[in-house]
Amino acid sequence: MASPLISSVFLPLISFFTLASVAVARSAPVPQEILAQQEADRVIRLPGQPLVNFKQYAGYVTVNESHGRALFYWFFEATHKPEKKPLLLWLNGGPGCSSIGYGAAEELGPFLMQKGTPELRFNNNTWNKAANLLFLESPVGVGFSYTNTSKDIDELGDTITAKDSYTFLVNWLRRFPQYKSHDFYISGESYAGHYVPQLAEVIFDANKIVSKEDHINLKGFIIGNALLDDDTDQTGMIEYAWDHAVISDGVYNDVKQHCNFSVEGSTKECDKALDEYFSVYYIIDMYSLYTSTCVEDTNKTTRTQRTIIQGVAPKLFSKFDWWWHRRPAGYDPCVSDYSEVYFNRQDVQEALHANVTKNIPYPWTHCSDTIGFWKDAPSSMLPIIRKLIDGGLRIWIFSGDTDGRIPVTATRYTLRKLGLKIKQDWTPWYTYHQQVGGWTITYDGLTFVTVRAAGHQVPTFVPKKALQLVRHYLANEKLPSKPF
């Protein structure tokens, strides 16, 4: 039975796509026109980019013609034999954060930012060694994605994000029909713990209704340090902080006594306890407990002291004000400064076919300052995950074990809540250097992987392990349980 999300929002959309597909099939568009559309999006070479032998494309796909809503994408063909590689979509979370700024430029894309130089460097552990790699800035208001209807920003939430992302994929595959037959996977991190399963569900349900032309060959999804369940995510966050000597016994006991994360709302006592809890993250990086914070050269003041713990949106975003706090993290804690400068350069935007009308009234940022109210966010993704497990999708969840924001403790509590049968319990997995890369649990229908010494953005901290992880996932192979 279709979920309420499909029934209330997507059936009209699906009907439109079905009719449109029939029209496309009957009119038999000339392939040369499609090739011309692709060529218009071709990125020849970015400023400061190293030479590569694979193609890249970037530009806009309209998701709502009447409102003027368009989402920005950046696509990289696989480094070798793209015609035989799967198609992998990457989504960053927030909500309101850019998959271009984080995923593409600081984590797993082929070109990474460098300090003190306008030159990009090639990422030897880029994920387009494993797949054709697609990054999407979603929803509108994030990065270069935009709407010409200002009231759209006030309607943003999980539902519209999934709807527009699905529309994007249908239209993108019409522009790049050579990838329609490829196995398709979705990946992401953080609040993409909502985005990824929700989009997967929409595709899963729509595939039962749409015509063959708009069928998406979805095989599964993989998400890291994923926000999946309000209660267990928040409980695990506090437990992890105490267990890793971040907070005192007193603060821990105050939170445990006054906060009930399984119910709506909060109390003054809980808010006060949480203020004490968060105060430590003025001085260390919540997203990577054991790496340095970014220090400004001008006044030697840390970024956290300057911006405190900055939320993506006002308190209306969530029933818990502190849910959405985020800061960039990584081996170079200042890397987001470099990409912020880079993507606001006019020559870079021209090369990417971004902001082509020059009408976006705000600068490009990692996390949107324009998004305020977030309309809807279910408290748990577990019902969707159960449904998609039953539907036969391949689902992996991974967790960098030095992340304090959505820590491994929280994800373990969440997966326990699913109640799945364990097929293979806590087992080490090994890297190419005969070192333990982390541990795995194989459940009936889901695989959980921990990644040693990785923060919130796993590919940033341990890029070789991350590439090994995604290669095994896409090949449907278990990670090696013995040194090799």
Side-chain angles (χ1 to χ4, degrees), residues 31-323:
Q32 189 60 40
E33 294 178 7
I34 295 174
L35 291 175
Q37 291 176 351
Q38 294 180 16
E39 193 59 29
D41 284 359
R42 176 87 180 273
V43 177
I44 305 304
R45 191 177 180 186
L46 290 166
Q49 176 203 303
L51 289 172
V52 292
N53 61 4
F54 55 84
K55 294 179 180 179
Q56 58 177 317
Y57 302 83
Y60 288 97
V61 172
T62 299
V63 295
N64 187 300
E65 203 68 62
S66 62
H67 283 222
R69 284 207 305 272
L71 298 182
F72 183 80
Y73 79 91
W74 196 0
F75 172 66
F76 303 93
E77 287 186 347
T79 56
H80 297 94
K81 298 182 178 179
E83 69 281 358
K84 295 184 178 181
K85 294 287 200 309
L87 175 63
L88 179 66
L89 172 68
W90 174 269
L91 300 171
N92 276 90
C97 294
S98 167
S99 302
I100 303 300
Y102 286 116
E106 298 175 21
E107 298 186 66
L108 56 115
F111 309 124
L112 300 179
M113 297 292 143
Q114 295 191 93
K115 181 178 182 179
T117 173
E119 302 296 311
L120 303 173
R121 65 178 176 87
F122 182 70
N123 177 12
N124 288 318
N125 298 288
T126 173
W127 283 18
N128 73 321
K129 288 186 174 181
N132 297 287
L133 191 54
L134 178 60
F135 296 93
L136 175 65
E137 290 191 310
S138 177
V140 292
V142 174
F144 295 122
S145 296
Y146 68 89
T147 177
N148 292 329
T149 306
S150 59
K151 68 178 182 180
D152 284 349
I153 300 298
D154 297 327
E155 297 298 316
L156 294 178
D158 284 12
T159 299
I160 193 67
T161 300
K163 173 181 179 289
D164 280 358
S165 295
Y166 175 72
T167 307
F168 165 86
L169 282 172
V170 171
N171 289 336
W172 189 89
L173 286 168
R174 290 176 181 173
R175 190 176 302 179
F176 291 88
Q178 64 266 42
Y179 292 101
K180 282 186 178 180
S181 62
H182 289 227
D183 288 349
F184 176 67
Y185 299 90
I186 315 174
S187 58
E189 67 190 6
S190 193
Y191 196 78
H194 279 221
Y195 291 166
V196 171
Q198 287 170 337
L199 176 58
E201 182 189 29
V202 172
I203 297 170
F204 180 81
D205 288 342
N207 277 346
K208 301 172 184 176
I209 304 172
V210 298
S211 65
K212 182 179 179 180
E213 286 78 8
D214 284 328
H215 183 276
I216 296 174
N217 197 19
L218 176 67
K219 298 298 183 181
F221 59 83
I222 177 170
I223 37 179
N225 292 82
L227 194 72
L228 295 171
D229 183 87
D230 290 4
D231 181 14
T232 50
D233 284 340
Q234 295 156 2
T235 299
M237 185 176 70
I238 303 300
E239 298 278 356
Y240 181 91
W242 179 81
D243 193 49
H244 285 73
V246 171
I247 57 174
S248 69
D249 291 358
V251 170
Y252 174 78
N253 290 331
D254 284 345
V255 174
K256 296 293 285 185
Q257 179 181 351
H258 297 298
C259 298
N260 184 351
F261 301 133
S262 65
V263 299
E264 292 281 346
S266 185
T267 65
K268 290 182 179 179
E269 292 80 9
C270 177
D271 290 342
K272 182 179 178 181
L274 290 174
D275 284 342
E276 286 291 318
Y277 163 79
F278 272 109
S279 66
V280 72
Y281 294 118
Y282 284 56
I283 55 175
I284 65 172
D285 189 344
M286 185 182 196
Y287 291 75
S288 176
L289 294 190
Y290 306 116
T291 55
S292 301
T293 57
C294 179
V295 176
E296 300 291 344
D297 291 334
T298 54
N299 56 17
K300 303 300 181 185
T301 301
T302 63
R303 176 184 303 280
T304 44
Q305 289 172 331
R306 183 165 55 86
T307 62
I308 316 298
I309 301 174
Q310 184 172 308
V312 177
K315 293 181 179 180
L316 286 175
F317 245 12
S318 170
K319 60 190 176 190
F320 297 113
D321 308 348
W322 44 275
W323 225 36

Side-chain angles (χ1 to χ4, degrees), residues 17 19 46 104 145 157 160 193 296 354 396 402 430 433 443 448 479:
F17 281 137
L19 293 172
L46 290 166
S145 296
I160 193 67
E296 300 291 344
W396 283 28
T402 68
Y430 286 83
H433 303 294
Y443 295 96
F448 175 56
L479 289 157

